Amino acid sequence: MRRKIFVAAVGAVMALGLAACSGSGAGGGSGSTGDATAEEGGLIGVAMPTQTSERWINDGEAVKEGLEKAGYTVDLEYAGDDIPTQQQQIDQMITKGAKLLIVASIDGTALANQLQSAADKGIKVIAYDRLIRDSANVDFYVTFDNYKVGVQQATSLLVGLGLLNADGSAGTATGPFNIELFAGSLDDNNAKFFFDGAIDTLQPYIDEGTLVVKSGQTSIEQAATLRWLQETAQKRMEDLLTSTYSSGDKLQGVLSPYDGISRGIITALQNAGYGPTITDGLPIVTGQDAEIASVKLINDDVQFATIFKDTRKLADQAVISASAFMAGETPEANDTEAYDNGVKVVPSFLLQSDIVYKDNIQSLLIDSGYYTEAEVQAGQAG
Ligand code: BGC
């Protein structure tokens, strides 16, 4: 269905004779990907947070490709997770004559000035994956159902511990199990949605004593990981092992909101003598993004699960929404309630995600062409 709309949108743009613009080449580092200037179809600025996480590279490339196919010129920028860099990049996109902005923010509260300049020039803004907060000038939001992602993360933890079966029925394990909780970066609006979805799912088990957060660190502030950094998560896991698990108590599960964080946690656990695999007693660790390194770890019985958010679909949705705005229309939303950015409820298009376990890597990731079998075996995307 989405494909159809996408094709129709592309067709419409082509019919208007706006096709065949040359785009900027994909570049490296944290900087610009070209010297794009406004051309026939119009210049669209795409601001991405960082290239340290694979998903944003895939997102950036897919959005750029889709927009170029639809006849637009693209200025794709990565900000190296540095807030002033992202602010500058967006300022420059506006100066270069961008007609629309697609922004995956680093700090969702730090772009109000840029968005005001955009609005003053009549430039529409689409928040990509992460909501931009505290601004009336966010016109649309394309993302996944972030609360549900959190529910899926917690569900995979329960499945790994044997408290639930993958089909949702009750498992045979009884616990009690010691677990620890990790959350994402507090300046990313998604982090709270993931954590809320996860805690709402785990709370009944915590209340009945089946799950025990032994450190007592249950608030999102205590669990947070600034900028989603792997090293930061590894350090916190090391500290938790020292403070809470050095006198014989064993840890059985860790809620992790992102694959990079998961790998930091796993390294800390293995260094402390757990594992090296789940079969050898490595705790159940969850994740998000289906990064290739983590998919390999899942295939090797090291990480238990991840959440697959198909960035190709999100990119398609961004292109469809952008094409609608560029044609003077309003993009179709499928949620007009969930995402209040502090100033207004931003009309949104939410996509669905899937839990990846070892036994559905093939059907979800390989059969869909997201990765090849060889990439999964090697743990590196080609
Ligand atoms: C995204 C996640 C990602 C995280 C870290 C979040 O905003 O929704 O997919 O794991 O950022 O990059």
Side-chain angles (χ1 to χ4, degrees):
M1 178 63 179
R2 257 192 305 275
R3 272 280 166 205
K4 259 196 186 155
I5 299 172
F6 174 59
V7 170
V10 171
V13 173
M14 298 278 197
L16 288 170
L18 302 175
C21 287
S22 69
S24 56
S30 64
S32 168
T33 58
D35 48 1
T37 49
E39 287 177 35
E40 297 145 71
L43 177 67
I44 296 184
V46 180
M48 289 282 152
T50 177
Q51 286 171 308
T52 55
S53 152
E54 202 176 284
R55 76 149 290 184
W56 301 115
I57 299 175
N58 296 337
D59 284 282
E61 282 171 2
V63 172
K64 183 172 186 293
E65 198 186 310
L67 289 173
E68 285 176 354
K69 274 197 192 136
Y72 302 106
T73 307
V74 178
D75 181 10
L76 168 64
E77 306 283 347
Y78 286 90
D81 254 344
D82 183 55
I83 298 161
T85 301
Q86 186 163 61
Q87 291 168 333
Q88 261 172 30
Q89 288 174 338
I90 295 174
D91 284 336
Q92 278 163 14
M93 288 170 184
I94 297 172
T95 310
K96 283 183 200 167
K99 294 190 175 150
L100 183 137
L101 299 172
I102 297 177
V103 180
S105 54
I106 299 163
D107 179 334
T109 64
L111 297 175
N113 289 345
Q114 282 63 38
L115 266 46
Q116 188 57 54
S117 319
D120 292 345
K121 293 199 155 70
I123 300 168
K124 296 285 187 201
V125 175
I126 298 175
Y128 186 91
D129 193 83
R130 298 172 170 176
L131 186 61
I132 303 171
R133 297 190 53 86
D134 305 339
S135 168
N137 305 311
V138 188
D139 299 290
F140 201 70
Y141 182 33
V142 292
T143 192
F144 290 84
D145 185 338
N146 293 305
Y147 179 88
K148 195 154 158 212
V149 168
V151 171
Q152 290 175 324
Q153 288 170 337
T155 301
S156 67
L157 179 60
L158 295 171
V159 170
L161 292 171
L163 292 167
L164 275 187
N165 297 316
D167 65 6
S169 60
T172 50
T174 50
F177 296 116
N178 293 327
I179 62 165
E180 294 298 337
L181 310 174
F182 281 70
S185 195
L186 291 181
D187 52 8
D188 179 346
N189 194 61
N190 288 349
K192 187 166 172 354
F193 277 80
F194 301 148
F195 200 71
D196 284 351
I199 294 301
D200 289 350
T201 309
L202 299 178
Q203 198 63 51
Y205 297 86
I206 295 173
D207 289 346
E208 71 187 18
T210 307
L211 295 178
V212 180
V213 183
K214 199 123 210 332
S215 67
Q217 298 190 17
T218 54
S219 72
I220 189 168
E221 290 77 17
Q222 290 169 314
T225 315
L226 183 65
R227 297 282 115 74
W228 305 85
L229 282 176
Q230 176 164 346
E231 310 79 83
T232 308
Q234 180 176 336
K235 173 77 171 59
R236 175 162 180 262
M237 190 69 250
E238 286 162 1
D239 291 347
L240 287 170
L241 289 171
T242 310
S243 64
T244 311
Y245 298 92
S246 54
S247 52
D249 287 317
K250 287 283 176 200
L251 177 64
Q252 276 95 23
V254 185
L255 174 79
S256 165
Y258 155 57
D259 286 344
I261 290 180
S262 313
R263 295 195 296 276
I265 292 166
I266 288 168
T267 303
L269 291 169
Q270 290 175 332
N271 288 346
Y274 283 95
T277 67
I278 295 170
T279 332
D280 310 317
L282 187 72
I284 299 301
V285 180
T286 66
Q288 171 169 213
D289 287 349
E291 289 196 341
I292 190 66
S294 284
V295 174
K296 178 172 169 53
L297 290 180
I298 293 170
N299 202 38
D300 292 345
D301 289 311
V302 177
Q303 185 173 321
F304 181 71
T306 186
I307 308 300
F308 175 42
K309 294 160 58 175
D310 193 332
T311 50
R312 299 169 299 188
K313 291 187 181 160
L314 188 60
D316 279 2
Q317 200 53 53
V319 173
I320 291 166
S321 312
S323 300
F325 275 134
M326 295 294 275
E329 290 157 12
T330 307
E332 183 198 329
N334 67 3
D335 184 293
T336 50
E337 283 169 17
Y339 290 97
D340 186 333
N341 80 346
V343 175
K344 72 180 209 189
V345 177
V346 183
S348 309
F349 197 99
L350 309 186
L351 296 169
Q352 297 303 316
S353 50
D354 291 292
I355 306 177
V356 179
Y357 300 109
K358 183 175 180 172
D359 65 7
N360 63 9
I361 290 176
Q362 178 75 39
S363 59
L364 283 177
L365 300 176
I366 299 176
D367 294 349
S368 73
Y370 203 71
Y371 294 128
T372 64
E373 189 151 5
E375 286 169 346
V376 171
Q377 300 300 338
Q380 278 178 336

PDB file of all heavy atoms in Angstrom, residues 53 55-56 129-130 146 188 190 194 228 257-259 288-289 309, ligand 1:
ATOM      1  N   SER A  53      26.134   5.404  14.509  1.00  0.00           N
ATOM      2  CA  SER A  53      25.172   4.311  14.553  1.00  0.00           C
ATOM      3  C   SER A  53      24.700   4.042  13.133  1.00  0.00           C
ATOM      4  O   SER A  53      24.313   4.947  12.402  1.00  0.00           O
ATOM      5  CB  SER A  53      23.999   4.708  15.455  1.00  0.00           C
ATOM      6  OG  SER A  53      22.839   4.046  15.042  1.00  0.00           O
ATOM      7  N   ARG A  55      22.114   2.807  11.840  1.00  0.00           N
ATOM      8  CA  ARG A  55      20.778   3.072  11.334  1.00  0.00           C
ATOM      9  C   ARG A  55      20.676   4.430  10.684  1.00  0.00           C
ATOM     10  O   ARG A  55      19.995   4.593   9.681  1.00  0.00           O
ATOM     11  CB  ARG A  55      19.697   2.895  12.406  1.00  0.00           C
ATOM     12  CG  ARG A  55      19.586   4.000  13.418  1.00  0.00           C
ATOM     13  CD  ARG A  55      18.133   4.137  13.900  1.00  0.00           C
ATOM     14  NE  ARG A  55      17.273   4.673  12.852  1.00  0.00           N
ATOM     15  CZ  ARG A  55      16.006   4.971  13.016  1.00  0.00           C
ATOM     16  NH1 ARG A  55      15.435   4.748  14.183  1.00  0.00           N
ATOM     17  NH2 ARG A  55      15.280   5.488  12.041  1.00  0.00           N
ATOM     18  N   TRP A  56      21.368   5.439  11.224  1.00  0.00           N
ATOM     19  CA  TRP A  56      21.236   6.787  10.664  1.00  0.00           C
ATOM     20  C   TRP A  56      21.910   6.884   9.298  1.00  0.00           C
ATOM     21  O   TRP A  56      21.518   7.688   8.458  1.00  0.00           O
ATOM     22  CB  TRP A  56      21.789   7.829  11.636  1.00  0.00           C
ATOM     23  CG  TRP A  56      21.078   7.779  12.961  1.00  0.00           C
ATOM     24  CD1 TRP A  56      21.606   7.432  14.169  1.00  0.00           C
ATOM     25  CD2 TRP A  56      19.684   8.046  13.200  1.00  0.00           C
ATOM     26  NE1 TRP A  56      20.635   7.456  15.136  1.00  0.00           N
ATOM     27  CE2 TRP A  56      19.454   7.826  14.574  1.00  0.00           C
ATOM     28  CE3 TRP A  56      18.617   8.430  12.391  1.00  0.00           C
ATOM     29  CZ2 TRP A  56      18.193   8.001  15.155  1.00  0.00           C
ATOM     30  CZ3 TRP A  56      17.361   8.601  12.966  1.00  0.00           C
ATOM     31  CH2 TRP A  56      17.171   8.391  14.328  1.00  0.00           C
ATOM     32  N   ASP A 129      11.844  10.458  12.725  1.00  0.00           N
ATOM     33  CA  ASP A 129      12.069   9.472  13.786  1.00  0.00           C
ATOM     34  C   ASP A 129      11.989  10.057  15.195  1.00  0.00           C
ATOM     35  O   ASP A 129      11.376   9.498  16.075  1.00  0.00           O
ATOM     36  CB  ASP A 129      13.403   8.723  13.602  1.00  0.00           C
ATOM     37  CG  ASP A 129      13.474   7.514  14.515  1.00  0.00           C
ATOM     38  OD1 ASP A 129      12.926   6.472  14.141  1.00  0.00           O
ATOM     39  OD2 ASP A 129      14.028   7.628  15.629  1.00  0.00           O
ATOM     40  N   ARG A 130      12.663  11.201  15.424  1.00  0.00           N
ATOM     41  CA  ARG A 130      12.675  11.836  16.749  1.00  0.00           C
ATOM     42  C   ARG A 130      11.864  13.128  16.676  1.00  0.00           C
ATOM     43  O   ARG A 130      12.111  13.972  15.803  1.00  0.00           O
ATOM     44  CB  ARG A 130      14.101  12.174  17.156  1.00  0.00           C
ATOM     45  CG  ARG A 130      15.007  10.955  17.277  1.00  0.00           C
ATOM     46  CD  ARG A 130      16.443  11.358  17.497  1.00  0.00           C
ATOM     47  NE  ARG A 130      17.277  10.215  17.853  1.00  0.00           N
ATOM     48  CZ  ARG A 130      18.584  10.263  18.023  1.00  0.00           C
ATOM     49  NH1 ARG A 130      19.237  11.417  17.864  1.00  0.00           N
ATOM     50  NH2 ARG A 130      19.265   9.185  18.353  1.00  0.00           N
ATOM     51  N   ASN A 146       6.663   4.388  18.944  1.00  0.00           N
ATOM     52  CA  ASN A 146       7.777   4.280  19.892  1.00  0.00           C
ATOM     53  C   ASN A 146       7.390   3.637  21.227  1.00  0.00           C
ATOM     54  O   ASN A 146       8.196   2.931  21.829  1.00  0.00           O
ATOM     55  CB  ASN A 146       8.390   5.665  20.103  1.00  0.00           C
ATOM     56  CG  ASN A 146       9.067   6.171  18.852  1.00  0.00           C
ATOM     57  OD1 ASN A 146       9.931   5.499  18.299  1.00  0.00           O
ATOM     58  ND2 ASN A 146       8.667   7.342  18.366  1.00  0.00           N
ATOM     59  N   ASP A 188      16.417  12.948  23.862  1.00  0.00           N
ATOM     60  CA  ASP A 188      15.711  12.346  22.726  1.00  0.00           C
ATOM     61  C   ASP A 188      14.320  11.951  23.218  1.00  0.00           C
ATOM     62  O   ASP A 188      14.183  11.088  24.087  1.00  0.00           O
ATOM     63  CB  ASP A 188      16.500  11.130  22.233  1.00  0.00           C
ATOM     64  CG  ASP A 188      15.842  10.400  21.073  1.00  0.00           C
ATOM     65  OD1 ASP A 188      14.650  10.644  20.792  1.00  0.00           O
ATOM     66  OD2 ASP A 188      16.533   9.574  20.457  1.00  0.00           O
ATOM     67  N   ASN A 190      12.179  10.110  22.101  1.00  0.00           N
ATOM     68  CA  ASN A 190      11.860   8.688  21.976  1.00  0.00           C
ATOM     69  C   ASN A 190      12.216   7.900  23.230  1.00  0.00           C
ATOM     70  O   ASN A 190      11.569   6.904  23.548  1.00  0.00           O
ATOM     71  CB  ASN A 190      12.633   8.060  20.803  1.00  0.00           C
ATOM     72  CG  ASN A 190      12.091   8.499  19.459  1.00  0.00           C
ATOM     73  OD1 ASN A 190      11.028   9.102  19.383  1.00  0.00           O
ATOM     74  ND2 ASN A 190      12.821   8.206  18.405  1.00  0.00           N
ATOM     75  N   PHE A 194      10.091   4.747  24.784  1.00  0.00           N
ATOM     76  CA  PHE A 194      10.595   3.367  24.868  1.00  0.00           C
ATOM     77  C   PHE A 194      10.528   2.883  26.326  1.00  0.00           C
ATOM     78  O   PHE A 194      10.063   1.783  26.607  1.00  0.00           O
ATOM     79  CB  PHE A 194      12.066   3.261  24.409  1.00  0.00           C
ATOM     80  CG  PHE A 194      12.332   3.704  22.980  1.00  0.00           C
ATOM     81  CD1 PHE A 194      13.553   4.275  22.639  1.00  0.00           C
ATOM     82  CD2 PHE A 194      11.380   3.545  21.984  1.00  0.00           C
ATOM     83  CE1 PHE A 194      13.821   4.671  21.329  1.00  0.00           C
ATOM     84  CE2 PHE A 194      11.636   3.953  20.664  1.00  0.00           C
ATOM     85  CZ  PHE A 194      12.868   4.512  20.345  1.00  0.00           C
ATOM     86  N   TRP A 228      23.169   7.951  23.873  1.00  0.00           N
ATOM     87  CA  TRP A 228      23.038   6.532  23.537  1.00  0.00           C
ATOM     88  C   TRP A 228      24.414   5.852  23.395  1.00  0.00           C
ATOM     89  O   TRP A 228      24.580   4.914  22.607  1.00  0.00           O
ATOM     90  CB  TRP A 228      22.280   6.355  22.218  1.00  0.00           C
ATOM     91  CG  TRP A 228      20.935   6.995  22.146  1.00  0.00           C
ATOM     92  CD1 TRP A 228      20.664   8.295  21.804  1.00  0.00           C
ATOM     93  CD2 TRP A 228      19.660   6.383  22.400  1.00  0.00           C
ATOM     94  NE1 TRP A 228      19.306   8.519  21.825  1.00  0.00           N
ATOM     95  CE2 TRP A 228      18.664   7.365  22.179  1.00  0.00           C
ATOM     96  CE3 TRP A 228      19.251   5.100  22.776  1.00  0.00           C
ATOM     97  CZ2 TRP A 228      17.305   7.119  22.329  1.00  0.00           C
ATOM     98  CZ3 TRP A 228      17.890   4.853  22.916  1.00  0.00           C
ATOM     99  CH2 TRP A 228      16.942   5.862  22.695  1.00  0.00           C
ATOM    100  N   PRO A 257      17.800  -0.429  25.430  1.00  0.00           N
ATOM    101  CA  PRO A 257      16.957   0.223  24.427  1.00  0.00           C
ATOM    102  C   PRO A 257      17.589   0.361  23.057  1.00  0.00           C
ATOM    103  O   PRO A 257      16.945   0.873  22.138  1.00  0.00           O
ATOM    104  CB  PRO A 257      16.745   1.610  25.034  1.00  0.00           C
ATOM    105  CG  PRO A 257      18.048   1.893  25.711  1.00  0.00           C
ATOM    106  CD  PRO A 257      18.526   0.567  26.236  1.00  0.00           C
ATOM    107  N   TYR A 258      18.853  -0.028  22.889  1.00  0.00           N
ATOM    108  CA  TYR A 258      19.502   0.195  21.583  1.00  0.00           C
ATOM    109  C   TYR A 258      20.708  -0.745  21.472  1.00  0.00           C
ATOM    110  O   TYR A 258      21.439  -0.944  22.439  1.00  0.00           O
ATOM    111  CB  TYR A 258      19.904   1.677  21.461  1.00  0.00           C
ATOM    112  CG  TYR A 258      21.046   1.947  20.511  1.00  0.00           C
ATOM    113  CD1 TYR A 258      20.962   1.558  19.175  1.00  0.00           C
ATOM    114  CD2 TYR A 258      22.210   2.567  20.940  1.00  0.00           C
ATOM    115  CE1 TYR A 258      22.029   1.780  18.312  1.00  0.00           C
ATOM    116  CE2 TYR A 258      23.277   2.799  20.082  1.00  0.00           C
ATOM    117  CZ  TYR A 258      23.179   2.394  18.767  1.00  0.00           C
ATOM    118  OH  TYR A 258      24.230   2.601  17.917  1.00  0.00           O
ATOM    119  N   ASP A 259      20.928  -1.288  20.281  1.00  0.00           N
ATOM    120  CA  ASP A 259      21.964  -2.312  20.087  1.00  0.00           C
ATOM    121  C   ASP A 259      23.370  -1.869  20.510  1.00  0.00           C
ATOM    122  O   ASP A 259      24.147  -2.683  21.014  1.00  0.00           O
ATOM    123  CB  ASP A 259      21.998  -2.756  18.614  1.00  0.00           C
ATOM    124  CG  ASP A 259      20.817  -3.652  18.249  1.00  0.00           C
ATOM    125  OD1 ASP A 259      20.148  -4.173  19.163  1.00  0.00           O
ATOM    126  OD2 ASP A 259      20.564  -3.815  17.033  1.00  0.00           O
ATOM    127  N   GLN A 288      17.688  -2.740  20.075  1.00  0.00           N
ATOM    128  CA  GLN A 288      16.860  -2.038  19.090  1.00  0.00           C
ATOM    129  C   GLN A 288      17.711  -1.657  17.886  1.00  0.00           C
ATOM    130  O   GLN A 288      18.870  -1.248  18.058  1.00  0.00           O
ATOM    131  CB  GLN A 288      16.263  -0.748  19.684  1.00  0.00           C
ATOM    132  CG  GLN A 288      15.578   0.114  18.627  1.00  0.00           C
ATOM    133  CD  GLN A 288      14.736   1.257  19.157  1.00  0.00           C
ATOM    134  OE1 GLN A 288      13.745   1.593  18.557  1.00  0.00           O
ATOM    135  NE2 GLN A 288      15.120   1.860  20.270  1.00  0.00           N
ATOM    136  N   ASP A 289      17.136  -1.729  16.732  1.00  0.00           N
ATOM    137  CA  ASP A 289      17.659  -1.275  15.432  1.00  0.00           C
ATOM    138  C   ASP A 289      18.146  -2.400  14.529  1.00  0.00           C
ATOM    139  O   ASP A 289      18.434  -2.165  13.369  1.00  0.00           O
ATOM    140  CB  ASP A 289      18.817  -0.253  15.542  1.00  0.00           C
ATOM    141  CG  ASP A 289      18.336   1.119  15.993  1.00  0.00           C
ATOM    142  OD1 ASP A 289      17.104   1.331  16.007  1.00  0.00           O
ATOM    143  OD2 ASP A 289      19.176   1.950  16.344  1.00  0.00           O
ATOM    144  N   LYS A 309      13.327  -1.981  13.018  1.00  0.00           N
ATOM    145  CA  LYS A 309      12.560  -0.850  12.484  1.00  0.00           C
ATOM    146  C   LYS A 309      13.082  -0.664  11.060  1.00  0.00           C
ATOM    147  O   LYS A 309      14.220  -0.257  10.867  1.00  0.00           O
ATOM    148  CB  LYS A 309      12.807   0.393  13.344  1.00  0.00           C
ATOM    149  CG  LYS A 309      12.251   0.201  14.751  1.00  0.00           C
ATOM    150  CD  LYS A 309      12.843   1.124  15.786  1.00  0.00           C
ATOM    151  CE  LYS A 309      12.691   2.573  15.509  1.00  0.00           C
ATOM    152  NZ  LYS A 309      13.202   3.399  16.646  1.00  0.00           N
TER     153      LYS A 309
HETATM  154  C1  BGC B   1      15.892   5.898  17.598  1.00  0.00           C
HETATM  155  C2  BGC B   1      16.397   4.504  17.806  1.00  0.00           C
HETATM  156  C3  BGC B   1      17.888   4.517  18.018  1.00  0.00           C
HETATM  157  C4  BGC B   1      18.323   5.566  19.023  1.00  0.00           C
HETATM  158  C5  BGC B   1      19.814   5.690  19.079  1.00  0.00           C
HETATM  159  C6  BGC B   1      16.350   6.769  18.725  1.00  0.00           C
HETATM  160  O1  BGC B   1      15.840   8.038  18.574  1.00  0.00           O
HETATM  161  O2  BGC B   1      14.484   5.870  17.506  1.00  0.00           O
HETATM  162  O3  BGC B   1      16.068   3.710  16.686  1.00  0.00           O
HETATM  163  O4  BGC B   1      18.274   3.267  18.527  1.00  0.00           O
HETATM  164  O5  BGC B   1      17.752   6.807  18.714  1.00  0.00           O
HETATM  165  O6  BGC B   1      20.335   6.112  17.856  1.00  0.00           O
END
